[in-house]
Amino acid sequence: MPVDNNGIHEDFRAQARRLANEKIKPHAAIVDEEEQFPMASIDAFKKMELNGLPFPVELGGAGGDLLSQVIAVEEIARVCGSSALVLLIPWAALTPLVWFGSDDLKQKVVPSVAAGKCGASFCLTEPGGGSDLPGLKTRAEQVGGGWLLNGQKRFISNVGWSDWYAILARTAEKSFGVFMVHRDDAGISIGRHERKMGMRGSPTADVILEDCLIPEDRVVGDPFKGYEYMMQTLSYTRPLVSAQALGLAQGALDEAVRYTSERTQFNSKVSRFQMVRGMIADMAIAVESSRTLLYRAVELAEHNDDRARCFASMAKTLCSDTAMSVTTNAVQLHGGYGYTKDYPVERMMRDAKVSQIWEGTNQIQRLLVAKYVYQD
C-alpha cells in the first residue's frame, strides 16, 4: 500500500479497524436482520470525523485524500457492508458539487453532511436502466424562478436519511445538468422501499420528481455539462465502491480462516486439510491482487492521470468479482453453518452480490476496459 514516509495511512487504517471492530461489528447482524438503519454507525463515524473525511476543511470536512477514503470504506465493510454504504454514498453524491458547484451552494449543502447531521444521495439510475446514462429521461426545464424537474430515479440509496439528492437530469436533447434537490422541496417524494437481498441496513427506494421547482442557484456548475461532470466523478467514486467490495472479501476471508482454524473434523483442525488450505490460498491471492489494483487506480486518480478511468473500471470489476467468489467460498468452508444467519459469511455473500451490479455493471466495466485497450 502506498503510504507517506510517516506511515499516516497505516495509522489511519489501525484507527478505522479499531472503530469497526468495537463500535460497528457488534450491531452488524441486527442491522441486516431487522433492516435497521445503522444509526449507531453514524454516531461512531462522527467520533472519528469520518462523515466529512473527503470534504475541504473550509466546508467542515477533514480534507482527506482518496486513499484515506478507500481505507475507511474497506475497514468498515470488513464488518458491515451496510454501514460502509451509508458512509460512502454522501461522499459520492457531493463530489460533483464540491468540484464544480458555486461556493454558495457548497456552503449550503456540504457542512451539514460533513458533520454527520444528514446524508446525501446520488440519483442516476432510472426505471429504464442505469448504465445507459445518455438514455436517461428525467428532465429539467428552466422556468421563471428556477428549474422544474420531472422524472423518476430508481434504486436510490440512503433515502429518508438524506436531506440532499444530486439529480442528473436532461436539460437539452444531448445535454444534462446536476441539480441539488432538498427533501423538503415541493414535488419530491419517496417511493416504496425495496425488499433487498443484501445491504439491508441502507434504505433503497425511488425518488420521484413531479413538477419539482428548485431555485436557480441549485444547479451544479454549467447546467449543460452534467454528463461530463459525472464521467469525471466516476473515476473517484468507483474506487469507493471497489473498496466496499474489497472489505467484504477481506472480512469473509478473515472469518473463513478463523472458523477453519477452530473447527475439528476427523481428529484434525480443518485448517490442516490440503483442499481447505488451497481454497484459503486462492482467496488470499484474490484479495491481495484486488487491493493492489485498487490502490493503483487510486494513485492514478489522485494524479489526474488519463488512465484513471480505465483503472477504476478494472478495480471495480476485479474487487467485486473477488468479493462474490471469496464470500461464496467462505460460506462453503463453513459447511452447513455457513448457510445459517448465525455466522456473518452468509450476510457477506448476500451483500457482495450487488457490488457486481451497481456503479456500472461489470459487463459495462469490461467494455470500458476493452475500449481503453483498443484505443477506440
Side-chain angles (χ1 to χ4, degrees), residues 156-211:
I156 306 306
S157 300
N158 286 2
V159 291
W161 184 59
S162 291
D163 276 3
W164 292 99
Y165 296 85
I167 308 287
L168 183 67
R170 187 180 297 277
T171 52
E173 183 179 353
K174 295 183 179 181
S175 298
F176 298 83
V178 179
F179 302 86
M180 299 306 303
V181 177
H182 192 273
R183 66 186 299 174
D184 293 333
D185 289 331
I188 182 175
S189 60
I190 304 300
R192 175 185 64 85
H193 281 219
E194 303 290 350
R195 299 170 62 240
K196 300 182 297 181
M197 174 191 294
M199 299 293 172
R200 289 158 54 88
S202 172
T204 302
D206 285 6
V207 171
I208 304 164
L209 304 160
E210 299 174 300
D211 289 335

Side-chain angles (χ1 to χ4, degrees), residues 340-375:
T340 71
K341 293 182 181 293
D342 295 328
Y343 289 81
V345 291
E346 179 269 345
R347 179 184 78 245
M348 292 170 173
M349 185 179 74
R350 288 187 286 104
D351 284 347
K353 182 56 200 173
V354 76
S355 67
Q356 295 177 304
I357 298 171
W358 61 20
E359 201 72 7
T361 66
N362 282 8
Q363 286 73 25
I364 289 293
Q365 303 305 325
R366 286 178 166 88
L367 291 177
L368 292 173
V369 172
K371 183 176 181 179
Y372 170 81
V373 172
Y374 281 112
Q375 296 293 304

Side-chain angles (χ1 to χ4, degrees), residues 214-277:
I214 63 172
E216 182 78 32
D217 62 2
R218 295 266 204 87
V219 62
V220 175
D222 188 324
F224 300 101
K225 292 186 177 180
Y227 183 77
E228 291 87 341
Y229 295 164
M230 287 301 179
M231 289 301 99
Q232 293 182 53
T233 297
L234 289 174
S235 295
Y236 285 77
T237 57
R238 279 178 178 151
L240 297 178
V241 171
S242 303
Q244 184 193 34
L246 177 61
L248 287 166
Q250 182 66 67
L253 174 59
D254 293 344
E255 292 296 331
V257 169
R258 180 180 302 111
Y259 180 83
T260 55
S261 296
E262 295 171 353
R263 177 74 166 166
T264 299
Q265 289 284 284
F266 305 106
N267 297 317
S268 178
K269 296 292 186 184
V270 172
S271 61
R272 304 309 303 174
F273 297 165
Q274 189 171 11
M275 292 188 70
V276 169
R277 295 175 80 86

Side-chain angles (χ1 to χ4, degrees), residues 17 19-21 24-25 28-29 74-81 247-248 251 344 347-348:
R17 179 166 296 185
L19 180 83
N21 287 333
I24 296 172
K25 186 176 182 178
E74 182 184 342
E75 291 300 324
I76 301 303
R78 194 174 56 83
V79 299
C80 181
L248 287 166
R347 179 184 78 245
M348 292 170 173

